[in-house]
Amino acid sequence: MPVIEDIADYADELTAIRRDLHEHPELGFEEVRTSGIVAEKLKSLGIEVTTGIGKTGVVGVLKGTRPGKTIGLRADMDALPIHEETNLPWSSKTPGVMHACGHDGHTTMLLGAARYLSEHPDFAGTAVFIFQPAEEGLGGARAMLADGLFDRFPCDEIYGMHNSTMDAPGVVRIKKGAAMAGSNFFDVRITGKGSHGAHPEGSRDPIVIATNLIQQIQSIVSRNIPPTKPAVVSVTMLHSGAAYNVIPNEAEFGGTIRFFDPEVGELISERIRALCAGVAEGYGVEIDVDIRNVFDVLINDDALSDAMIDAAAPVVGADQAGLRDELAMGSEDFADMLRVVPGAYCTVGHSGTIAPHNPGYVLDDAILPVGASIYVNLVTSRGAAA
């Protein structure tokens, strides 16, 4: 892949940065070490740096030598609560925490682009480097927006990208319009009545109630949502009890709702609440439900999607950069930024067969200079765009 020559020359340095970040992962809003490294490296490049945006977010601003548009580039920094099982030399040194989604790579790509642009400042416009905390469901984008991200650093356009093991190495894909699902998270707490396991007749068993309710929730999409409107409900957590011979007082479960039509997301949420209310009445227990929106539907601007393809084509080849037809049921909180500033979000394929959010996931370091080069092309082309 013909990445920008100077970036290719320091690809080994980018790999070293990425692997260091990988060894020291930090969860959302805890990226103290990571954001410190980012800020230090940006400052060493002569880039104006602001820290503490959205708690641990970092923003760098670099003006080109000629007037033009302000182009925002965003990378996420947080890791996941997963125990790594890759056994690589640079595996996580923090038990139970792992960069299992490649955010260490995204951060490094953006640092690579910042380095190149700082060393080659003869471009039009201004580059704004946005290093976001807490993408993994904790609202990092919204936290940065609440801190006045685009009031303090106005951008004309904004771009982001994500690694992908679902595409061949070097393949860049983007879907125009609605591209990634919106998401609500939900938590359900059942307060029943415990008893000795040998005398269940004295209980109002929250485990039985929870399993019954989970089965009912699984029917919401198939019996309430038109098949022409994509939606998913997944229960992903169930917690109750601590002894073999005790029926517990409480049970808790939670999960996620995915949708492309906000009305569908609200309908699913209403049905969960209604089912919980009916089951609570029927079993004579108390059921508390908390449903909250976490991700908006990610919508790519049509024209800026084309611009991102144009920026990627010189790097990966015109035949490797193009549009994607299918929707992605995964969510991404870059969607919140795209609601404020027009932009686009693409995927960059790399080697490997284990998908993100898996303890065996491995990022291919070969894509670091690829992503950095695409970011550079976006700044140099879009900053000068009329």
Side-chain angles (χ1 to χ4, degrees):
M1 293 174 283
V3 299
I4 294 172
E5 184 176 356
D6 283 12
I7 296 178
D9 288 342
Y10 52 75
D12 288 347
E13 296 176 51
L14 295 180
T15 295
I17 292 170
R18 204 282 300 179
R19 292 181 180 181
D20 174 71
L21 295 177
H22 190 88
E23 284 189 74
H24 303 90
E26 296 170 303
L27 297 174
F29 294 127
E30 298 176 10
E31 308 94 336
V32 176
R33 180 183 187 274
T34 303
S35 61
I37 289 172
V38 167
E40 179 184 348
K41 290 190 178 298
L42 293 178
K43 289 176 182 177
S44 72
L45 297 171
I47 294 173
E48 177 187 333
V49 176
T50 303
T51 60
I53 303 174
K55 296 185 179 179
T56 47
V58 179
V59 174
V61 178
L62 177 66
K63 296 182 180 296
T65 58
R66 291 171 285 128
K69 290 183 176 180
T70 299
I71 307 301
L73 305 173
R74 173 271 199 179
D76 36 20
M77 299 186 294
D78 56 323
L80 284 158
I82 293 176
H83 186 78
E84 183 163 0
E85 297 177 0
T86 65
N87 295 317
L88 291 168
W90 53 89
S91 293
S92 170
K93 292 182 178 178
T94 305
V97 183
M98 175 192 177
H99 270 297
C101 200
H103 295 186
D104 49 344
H106 305 162
T107 296
T108 304
M109 291 174 189
L110 193 50
L111 286 172
R115 174 174 172 177
Y116 179 89
L117 290 168
S118 70
E119 294 173 351
H120 301 81
D122 187 23
F123 61 89
T126 300
V128 178
F129 308 103
I130 301 168
F131 294 86
Q132 180 204 308
E135 189 279 330
E136 297 289 356
L138 295 178
R142 293 179 185 179
M144 294 191 84
L145 291 170
D147 265 358
L149 174 64
F150 292 124
D151 295 323
R152 299 161 68 180
F153 310 97
C155 294
D156 296 301
E157 301 168 8
I158 186 168
Y159 299 91
M161 64 180 69
H162 201 291
N163 69 91
S164 171
T165 56
M166 294 184 291
D167 296 301
V171 170
V172 174
R173 289 288 181 260
I174 190 167
K175 187 183 184 304
K176 292 183 176 180
M180 299 183 72
S183 177
N184 296 342
F185 287 176
F186 61 89
D187 289 288
V188 177
R189 173 178 291 180
I190 301 165
T191 303
K193 181 182 179 183
S195 74
H196 195 292
H199 301 285
E201 71 278 6
S203 73
R204 292 178 182 172
D205 190 339
I207 295 178
V208 170
I209 297 167
T211 55
N212 180 285
L213 186 52
I214 289 169
Q215 289 297 315
Q216 294 188 50
I217 287 173
Q218 293 302 320
S219 71
I220 291 175
V221 172
S222 66
R223 293 299 178 266
N224 294 268
I225 309 302
T228 53
K229 294 188 175 183
V232 171
V233 178
S234 291
V235 174
T236 58
M237 299 180 289
L238 175 59
H239 308 289
S240 186
Y244 289 103
N245 60 347
V246 177
I247 293 174
N249 286 313
E250 294 185 345
E252 299 179 7
F253 65 88
T256 183
I257 304 165
R258 302 295 167 117
F259 53 86
F260 284 90
D261 181 341
E263 292 185 1
V264 168
E266 184 54 37
L267 174 58
I268 294 172
S269 298
E270 289 175 0
R271 291 299 301 138
I272 290 176
R273 294 188 186 98
L275 288 172
C276 288
V279 168
E281 178 70 19
Y283 280 97
V285 298
E286 180 180 334
I287 301 181
D288 297 313
V289 184
D290 176 35
I291 304 177
R292 55 206 179 275
N293 177 255
V294 180
F295 299 103
D296 288 315
V297 178
L298 187 144
I299 300 175
N300 285 320
D301 181 271
D302 285 2
L304 300 185
S305 295
D306 288 334
M308 199 162 201
I309 292 172
D310 291 342
V315 182
V316 300
D319 60 333
Q320 297 280 81
L323 296 175
R324 186 188 302 281
D325 294 326
E326 64 271 18
L327 297 168
M329 294 309 297
S331 300
E332 164 60 63
D333 79 352
F334 186 59
D336 293 303
M337 295 188 184
L338 290 176
R339 288 173 63 89
V340 181
V341 177
Y345 188 78
C346 74
T347 57
V348 181
H350 66 87
S351 64
T353 58
I354 299 176
H357 292 227
N358 186 294
Y361 168 79
V362 177
L363 181 85
D364 178 7
D365 288 314
I367 68 165
L368 300 177
V370 175
S373 296
I374 294 171
Y375 277 143
V376 167
N377 287 347
L378 282 166
V379 171
T380 56
S381 62
R382 298 305 301 168

